Each structure stands twice: as structure tokens, then as C-alpha cells.
Amino acid sequence: MPSAPTRPARRPARRRALAAALTTTAIAATALVAAPFAATAAPYDDERLFVDWNSSTVEAAGTLTGQARDDALLLGSFPSARWFTTGTPAEVQAAVDSYVSAADAEDAVPVVVAYNLPYRDCAQYSAGGALDTASYNAWVDAFAAGIGDREAIVVLEPDGLGIIPWYTNVNGEAEWCKPAEADPATSAASRFEQLNHAVDALATLPATRTYLDGTHNGWLGVGDATDRLIRAGVERADGFFLNASNYQPTEKVQRYAGWVSDCIALSTQTWWEPAWCASQYYPASPDDLSTWDLSDAAYDQAFADTGLVRDRAAQKHAVIDTSRNGQGAWTAPPGKYTDAEVWCNPPGRGLGVRPTLDTGDEVVDGFLWIKIPGESDGQCYRGTGGPLDPERGIEDPRAGGWFVEQARELIELAAPPVEAPSCQVRTTVHGSWATGFTSQVWVTNSGTEPLRDWELRFAFAGDQRITKLWSAGWAQDGAVVTVTAKPYSVLRPGATATFGYTGAGVSGAVSPLTFLGGEACTSR
């Protein structure tokens, strides 16, 4: 069976409309045709993903003006993951606890990424990580302790199974990642030891869902991904994540998710071997979706041959990163570059499906924004000497830096489209003293429809408390304030309403992120 390329087009991982339900129908004449399964909503469809009032995206907005600021605030209004990449055990436990506590206070589910394995990203753009297995185990134990008994979705080590130091894959092929400072004899085994320890640490938590790296349909073949997942402890986890920080189209990733789920079931519950699993590479052709039914049919036959009943609702599930895949993957102009780095800040990409835990697909628990849209993949030279990205004609920000031009592209080319904000909020601190402050807020309807009985949500940047508010109703829960219009109020297009308040605290600083009727506003 042909294998995936040994070093496929990918990007190094870096911190942060319902889709069509996946239906597989076997058409090959030699295959046993199974009845199509009924697509059901993910079991978490009544839950809300957490929007961080103080995310790195919102922080970036605070340094920007005009359209660039508006773009960052719009992107920051959607739930994205929070990446934890360094720190001592005590530091990461405190940081995770603070973040998960903020989400818990809003009765929302946070998505947290653990990204600190030794030899992370094989010393590429996102190099770093713990020094050794003992250090990593202590770090991830503290990461888990920070979550405790609260709800969380854990994306465990992006690229952790896609890039393994000194690894020989299921097809007997030695892979490219061979760091000189790593022990060739033990590094791969250590990677699986570290991930198994992490899975076990997280499995003790009562409300945490843990997903391991399953790469994506443009990278590992299904059998190879499955073999690595099993060796890393996926049977004790909730499943696997796909397309992290990448651009593969959702339709293809969903098909791949179903196959990986099937391959895990066959390989762990019967005599089947992962290397025998059909994939996007065989009998299907990766670039021709019309051939993917051949792999569907191969799985139908495998279940028939083993006597196992396919039950995707009970099998291992996936979450999919849709943060930047609205236009699919980029294809570089033929022959233009010696190394096109198609994973690195490719031009002309768009936001994908908005984050949700209601996917309509019984294999996929969530469409998430694991990569933070608007943050750079790194400085992309595409085989040239730099410092400019030759495809863009500018110098890209370093990995994780805010990329103004890319943020604009992602919004303009989003699929499905993103609506521009139809409200504007301006806050002014009129005065402050040692223990308090007074502020005025103006809310403008910049849309085309009247807003009746409007409700505005904003958050303080610290532990400030409102002591009095006039011209509207209000309630405060932690840092979050909800202001409601007076009964029967109508905010007509172009009109502005205002209210003021006094508060207790050292300053009146608020997050620039605001929501009117649940929709993000621009702010000044």
C-alpha cells in the first residue's frame, strides 16, 4: 500500500453554518455495502465554547488602530484555543487554573493546548519544549492539576505524533526528524512514553476531554496515523485532533476522521493491523474526491471480514481545526520556489466553519479554532534567502506575531462569510481616584435594523466592581458586566444610546471586546 510522503507540506504548530454531515456510501462492486449511518449531533451541543476577553488577539487589537483593530476584535470575538507552551510546573498550573476558572465562571468550555514536548517541532519555527521526560511529566501533571474538576477540551501536543524524533514509521521508513542532540536509540520511545503519561494524567480528570495528534489528510496515511495514536494511548483518550494550524478543507478532513476512527476500532478490537487500513492514498487518490468512495468501500469490507459492527458514535472521535481552511490548502505556482512552504502564511486563505460543538457529525465532536487566526506561522522565505516573503513582498512577522495583512485576508475570504459588526461602542473614563472611577459608554447602531431591548456585555480588565450605573439596567458576574436597555427601548440605525457608571477599583480599564445582542462590536 503506498504511504504518505515522508515530509509532507505542513506548518510548524504555534499557539491560537454547520458543516455537511459526513456520509459514506460504498459503491465498489466487490465490497459489502453498509447502510448509511444516521448523522447525529455531537453530545456536547448544549455547551458554549469560551471566548477569552483578554486573549492574545484582543491584546493585539489594543496596539492597533482603524481597520486592523476592527479585524482583530472581530477575530477575537470567536472562541479560540489558549496555548500553554512553557513555564515551571507551578507557573503552568497557575496559568491553566486562571484560564479554566474564567471559563467556568461563564459556564463555558475552554479549549486548551498543551505544547511542551521535548524536541517540539524538531527545532523548527516553534522549537522548544521541556528538557527531558521527567521535566515534561512534571509539567503536564501540573497542567492537568490546573484544570481540576472543571470542564475543558485538551488538544494534546500539536505535531506530537506527526513529527517524532528518530522515528521509523509503520511502513518501515525512517523519517526526517533527526536532531543531533537527541538519542537515536531512545527518542521515539520517549515520545510515546511522554504522551502516554500525559493521557493518563488527563484521564483522571472527571470533566476533561483529551484529543491526541492525528495530523490531517494531507499528511499521514490513515494506518500510520492510527498506529501512532494507539501507541500514544488513544484508547484511554477521547480521540484525536486534525488539521491543527493547517488549511485542509473540512469535507476532506471529516472523511479522514471517519477512516481513522474506523481504523482504530478495527485495530484495537479485532485481529486487524493499522497498516492494512485504507486511506486517502490508497485505494483512493488524495486529490480526487470521486475516488474516496473506494476507501469507504474498503472499510465496509474490513468490518465484514472481521465481524466487527461499525459504531462510529461509540468509536473514537475527532475535533477539527477550521480556523483557516475556508479556501482549502494553497497550491504554489509550479516551479516558482525550491521550497514553497505551503504551510507558512499562504496567501489567499479564509476563515473556515465557526467554532462549535454542534457539528452534525457523529465522529466529529467539534469544529475548533486551534490555531489563532491572525497570528503568523513564522517568517516564510520559500527557499530564498529572505528576509522578505517572496509571495507577499513583505517581511512576515515571527511565529505567533500578529499579521495584519493575513487577518484581513482571512475575514475577506471566509467561507462561510463573516458579517461585519453592526454596532460601535466607545468608553471614556471621565475621572479616577485612589479607590474608584467614573466612566461613560456610548453604544451606536451602525447596522440597518432597529435594536429593541438591547443588551450589551463587556468585561473589566481586572477586579473592578460597578457600584452604580445610570440610564440602563445592569448586572455583574465576576469581571463580566451585562447592561440592559430600559424597557421598550429601541436603538434605531445610526442612533446612539449612552449610560454611565461609577466603580470601585484602581482603574476603569475594560477589555476592548464588546458584544451587543451576542454580536461583536467595534470599539473605540
Side-chain angles (χ1 to χ4, degrees):
M1 180 182 299
S3 63
T6 56
R7 189 176 181 182
R10 54 165 297 280
R11 69 162 308 281
R14 183 72 188 182
R15 333 173 276 167
R16 24 182 190 36
L18 294 175
L22 171 63
T23 304
T24 56
T25 306
I27 61 171
T30 58
L32 177 66
V33 179
F37 60 81
T40 58
Y44 314 116
D45 58 359
D46 61 341
E47 294 178 314
R48 181 170 60 89
L49 291 166
F50 178 55
V51 175
D52 183 7
W53 296 94
N54 300 297
S55 68
S56 59
T57 306
V58 176
E59 289 177 0
T63 68
L64 301 169
T65 59
Q67 185 65 59
R69 174 186 170 91
D70 292 346
D71 288 347
L73 287 176
L74 180 57
L75 292 172
S77 71
F78 296 103
S80 294
R82 168 68 70 89
W83 289 58
F84 296 88
T85 64
T86 188
T88 66
E91 288 169 343
V92 75
Q93 180 173 343
V96 172
D97 175 66
S98 176
Y99 187 71
V100 174
S101 294
D104 187 58
E106 295 194 41
D107 196 25
V109 182
V111 178
V112 291
V113 179
Y115 189 53
N116 197 36
L117 280 169
Y119 305 109
R120 179 178 74 197
D121 198 40
C122 201
Q124 297 185 100
Y125 286 72
S126 298
L131 292 177
D132 51 35
T133 296
S135 299
Y136 179 74
N137 289 351
W139 185 89
V140 81
D141 285 347
F143 178 95
I147 297 173
D149 62 359
R150 281 86 54 94
E151 278 194 288
I153 294 172
V154 176
V155 174
L156 184 59
E157 299 294 345
D159 289 350
L161 290 174
I163 304 175
I164 302 173
W166 293 99
Y167 185 63
T168 300
N169 66 27
V170 71
N171 300 306
E173 301 161 339
E175 298 199 334
W176 61 270
C177 179
K178 299 177 180 180
E181 63 273 25
D183 185 345
T186 62
S187 292
S190 294
R191 173 61 56 86
F192 289 111
E193 178 185 349
Q194 294 149 9
L195 288 171
N196 272 278
H197 180 94
V199 168
D200 288 338
L202 293 162
T204 65
L205 306 180
T208 293
R209 296 158 241 165
T210 303
Y211 300 86
L212 285 156
D213 179 25
T215 72
H216 58 75
N217 58 280
W219 194 347
L220 298 183
V222 171
D224 195 358
T226 296
D227 181 67
R228 300 179 196 212
L229 285 164
I230 292 171
R231 294 180 65 182
V234 74
E235 291 175 84
R236 306 185 308 282
D238 293 86
F240 48 94
F241 61 87
L242 302 173
N243 206 40
S245 302
N246 217 281
Y247 302 87
Q248 299 298 318
T250 301
E251 179 186 8
K252 285 188 173 182
V253 186
Q254 284 184 271
R255 295 283 287 272
Y256 182 80
W259 294 340
V260 173
S261 178
D262 286 349
C263 189
I264 292 171
L266 289 163
S267 301
T268 57
Q269 299 178 47
T270 76
W271 44 264
W272 195 263
E273 296 288 339
W276 303 340
C277 287
S279 77
Q280 72 277 34
Y281 297 111
Y282 183 84
S285 175
D287 298 323
D288 184 358
L289 269 177
S290 69
T291 68
W292 284 36
D293 289 335
L294 298 174
S295 289
D296 290 338
Y299 281 101
D300 291 340
Q301 190 64 54
F303 278 98
D305 291 345
T306 59
L308 183 66
V309 176
R310 178 194 274 126
D311 184 0
R312 284 184 165 178
Q315 292 169 197
K316 293 301 174 183
H317 288 186
V319 291
I320 296 173
D321 188 352
T322 59
S323 59
R324 303 185 297 177
N325 72 344
Q327 297 295 328
W330 178 55
T331 300
K336 187 174 181 179
Y337 302 113
T338 58
D339 181 2
E341 295 181 321
V342 296
W343 49 265
C344 192
N345 297 328
R349 302 306 92 191
L351 300 171
V353 176
R354 305 302 102 82
T356 180
L357 298 178
D358 184 5
T359 70
D361 184 329
E362 62 184 347
V363 174
V364 179
D365 287 344
F367 298 126
L368 307 178
W369 285 8
I370 297 172
K371 167 69 179 182
I372 302 172
E375 290 191 354
S376 175
D377 292 317
Q379 293 178 308
C380 314
Y381 302 153
R382 310 192 194 283
T384 70
L388 300 184
D389 179 342
E391 190 64 23
R392 292 180 175 274
I394 59 175
E395 185 173 346
D396 297 345
R398 293 185 179 276
W402 190 255
F403 199 158
V404 169
E405 293 81 2
Q406 187 183 78
R408 180 93 290 266
E409 288 175 357
L410 291 171
I411 292 170
E412 286 183 333
L413 300 174
V418 176
E419 292 186 9
S422 58
C423 51
Q424 184 179 103
V425 176
R426 180 166 63 92
T427 301
T428 297
V429 178
H430 282 310
S432 62
W433 51 97
T435 59
F437 56 90
T438 181
S439 297
Q440 192 76 19
V441 180
W442 292 265
V443 182
T444 300
N445 180 356
S446 54
T448 59
E449 298 294 330
L451 301 174
R452 303 179 187 280
D453 299 324
W454 53 266
E455 176 184 280
L456 180 75
R457 294 179 74 237
F458 67 92
F460 285 113
D463 58 359
Q464 301 97 320
R465 303 288 303 180
I466 289 180
T467 55
K468 182 180 179 181
L469 188 147
W470 52 91
S471 301
W474 65 282
Q476 184 170 355
D477 186 1
V480 180
V481 178
T482 302
V483 178
T484 52
K486 291 182 177 180
Y488 311 112
S489 294
V490 178
L491 189 59
R492 301 190 182 282
T496 298
T498 187
F499 61 88
Y501 56 86
T502 56
V506 295
S507 79
V510 295
S511 166
L513 196 61
T514 56
F515 295 89
L516 186 65
E519 301 297 327
C521 299
T522 60
S523 69
R524 296 289 184 267

